[in-house]
Amino acid sequence: MKAKLEQIKVSALGEISADGADLEQLRIKYLGKKGELTAVLRGMGQLTPEERPVIGQLANDVRAVIEEALGRRTEEMKEKAMAARLLNEKLDVTMPARRPLVGHTHPLTLVQRDLEDIFIGMGFSIVEGPEVEYDYYNFQALNIPEDHPARDTQDTFYITDKILLRSQTSPVQARTMEAQKPPLRIISPGRVYRSDAIDATHSPLFHQLEGLVIDKGITMGDLKGTLDVFAKKEFGEDTRVRFRPHHFPFTEPSAEVDISCFACGGKGCKLCKGEGWIEILGAGMVHPHVLEMGGIDPSVYSGFAFGLGIERIAMLKYHIDDMRLLYENDVRFLGQF
Ligand code: DAH
């Protein structure tokens, strides 16, 4: 029996230390109720009373040795499994994170906000008008009656005979005169529409910014001073402003306003097409008849108005040579501003 126990011990220890041993299976095989050690102990009855304690002691020792080996091996395997997991699930916390793609302000919005800031700085407030507008405000209240030739250059999209998509922000002038009492000092940015074919400089939808000032004693000097400040703030402190006589039905006198070229300073370059000057907006003194239609007495009040194209300013400022780029939402283009 002694030899049998010794053999059990040796073979158990061998199997336990073998690679890939199933420890639970081995525990059952050697120490379980039907295990090899138990089988030996069952045979104890045949031993002499002198042998029994000796063999009993030996059997207990063998059990203890096997249990101890199983325990140690279990621990070892746990540690090995953990080490393998740590190696596999390695995480480099110093690795830079993947940045989410974040958009930013569209160049037209950038310019519009710039312009708003400049005029707010001069005491203007912002007024909004509807894009779906009455013919009355878009044309008639601005001295452009039916059949007036000025309508040709501002052909737009009609909803009914009397309702259209506004072709300019100027109708906000007429609406503001009706809604508020002078003194008035407002700007109105927004979308306008014309039935123009799309090309590098035309779009059926674009943006304008309108300005209107009405008070007692407003003169063309105020208009020039205001536009001078605007031009310097938007295009640089050296920028000069030039007025050229022009005609708009709702202002008298009217002017087209140029700025000295901010790229060459006025010497002539590609941007100003050799002129040294760049046309930037239309302006004038509000026509007395327009004041009257707006319920304002032209013998008491006078005012000036101006209107500019936001696309045009964005294209000049950022050297964009094709207007279509502003509407295509190509992130490779938009990411540059
Ligand atoms: N509304 C005009 C246009 O779209 C621009 C304009 C010219 C606006 C003169 C004005 C102005 O307020 O006084 O062509």
Side-chain angles (χ1 to χ4, degrees):
M1 268 189 129
K2 226 174 170 175
K4 178 71 184 161
L5 284 172
E6 199 54 40
Q7 183 227 316
I8 289 174
K9 183 169 107 182
V10 170
S11 87
L13 291 181
E15 286 194 69
I16 290 168
S17 61
D19 266 351
D22 183 338
L23 298 175
E24 182 55 17
Q25 207 57 49
L26 291 176
R27 196 185 60 73
I28 294 168
K29 178 176 172 191
Y30 288 103
L31 308 179
K33 266 188 204 150
K34 294 174 185 161
E36 295 189 19
L37 200 61
T38 321
V40 172
L41 292 174
R42 271 204 200 100
M44 293 263 278
Q46 289 142 34
L47 295 175
T48 63
E50 294 77 39
E51 280 177 315
R52 246 179 247 163
V54 180
I55 296 296
Q57 180 63 44
L58 189 62
N60 279 340
D61 289 351
V62 169
R63 167 179 286 274
V65 167
I66 295 175
E67 270 175 354
E68 203 259 339
L70 280 170
R72 197 171 356 99
R73 190 80 173 113
T74 308
E75 271 315 302
E76 252 175 53
M77 279 166 77
K78 264 195 205 155
E79 274 167 28
K80 235 171 127 181
M82 179 55 91
R85 253 186 86 185
L86 286 176
L87 202 69
N88 280 333
E89 298 174 15
K90 193 157 62 178
L91 182 72
D92 182 356
V93 292
T94 66
M95 215 159 85
R98 217 179 288 170
R99 274 170 202 269
L101 206 60
V102 178
H104 63 88
T105 315
H106 191 280
L108 286 177
T109 311
L110 285 174
V111 168
Q112 182 177 321
R113 289 192 186 155
D114 257 10
L115 300 177
E116 288 173 357
D117 279 352
I118 292 171
F119 286 104
I120 285 169
M122 289 192 268
F124 286 69
S125 30
I126 299 176
V127 170
E128 288 190 327
E131 291 170 33
V132 178
E133 183 56 285
Y134 287 107
D135 180 286
Y136 175 77
Y137 289 114
N138 194 75
F139 291 128
Q140 293 170 54
L142 296 168
N143 255 353
I144 310 172
E146 266 171 55
D147 303 322
H148 191 287
R151 290 193 178 217
D152 287 350
T153 56
Q154 297 209 8
D155 192 16
T156 179
F157 304 92
Y158 284 81
I159 287 127
T160 69
D161 277 357
K162 293 195 167 71
I163 299 174
L164 43 75
L165 295 185
R166 67 179 181 185
S167 62
Q168 47 187 349
T169 44
S170 304
V172 183
Q173 290 188 34
R175 285 180 171 275
T176 307
M177 287 183 232
E178 279 187 3
Q180 299 180 32
K181 294 254 160 299
L184 301 177
R185 192 156 40 169
I186 61 108
I187 53 165
S188 186
R191 291 195 192 96
V192 300
Y193 302 83
R194 291 192 193 172
S195 71
D196 284 340
I198 302 174
D199 65 23
T201 53
H202 292 87
S203 163
L205 180 160
F206 59 105
H207 300 74
Q208 289 188 333
L209 184 136
E210 196 78 14
L212 176 70
V213 172
I214 296 176
D215 202 352
K216 290 175 180 158
I218 296 291
T219 70
M220 201 121 177
D222 298 307
L223 172 59
K224 280 195 95 165
T226 303
L227 294 182
D228 204 55
V229 170
F230 150 71
K232 286 182 162 55
K233 287 243 154 72
E234 181 63 17
F235 297 104
E237 282 304 315
D238 297 332
T239 310
R240 285 159 291 130
V241 168
R242 172 175 91 169
F243 278 48
R244 275 181 294 108
H246 197 74
H247 171 262
F248 295 106
F250 39 92
T251 44
E252 179 60 32
S254 302
E256 272 189 337
V257 178
D258 303 334
I259 54 164
S260 57
C261 180
F262 53 88
C264 65
K267 286 198 273 309
C269 68
K270 209 175 129 212
L271 186 73
C272 58
K273 301 194 176 74
E275 294 286 327
W277 294 93
I278 299 173
E279 186 199 322
I280 200 95
L281 54 83
M285 300 305 292
V286 180
H287 196 290
H289 188 224
V290 171
L291 288 175
E292 262 168 13
M293 284 188 281
I296 293 171
D297 184 348
S299 68
V300 180
Y301 290 102
S302 57
F304 66 76
F306 58 88
L308 57 82
I310 295 178
E311 274 79 355
R312 185 163 163 72
I313 301 216
M315 289 171 76
L316 285 169
K317 200 166 159 176
Y318 297 123
H319 302 276
I320 299 166
D321 57 8
D322 193 323
M323 196 167 175
R324 287 168 286 203
L325 289 165
L326 291 169
Y327 310 117
E328 284 168 354
N329 289 336
D330 186 330
V331 290
R332 291 168 302 178
F333 168 75
L334 295 175
Q336 298 173 46
F337 303 96

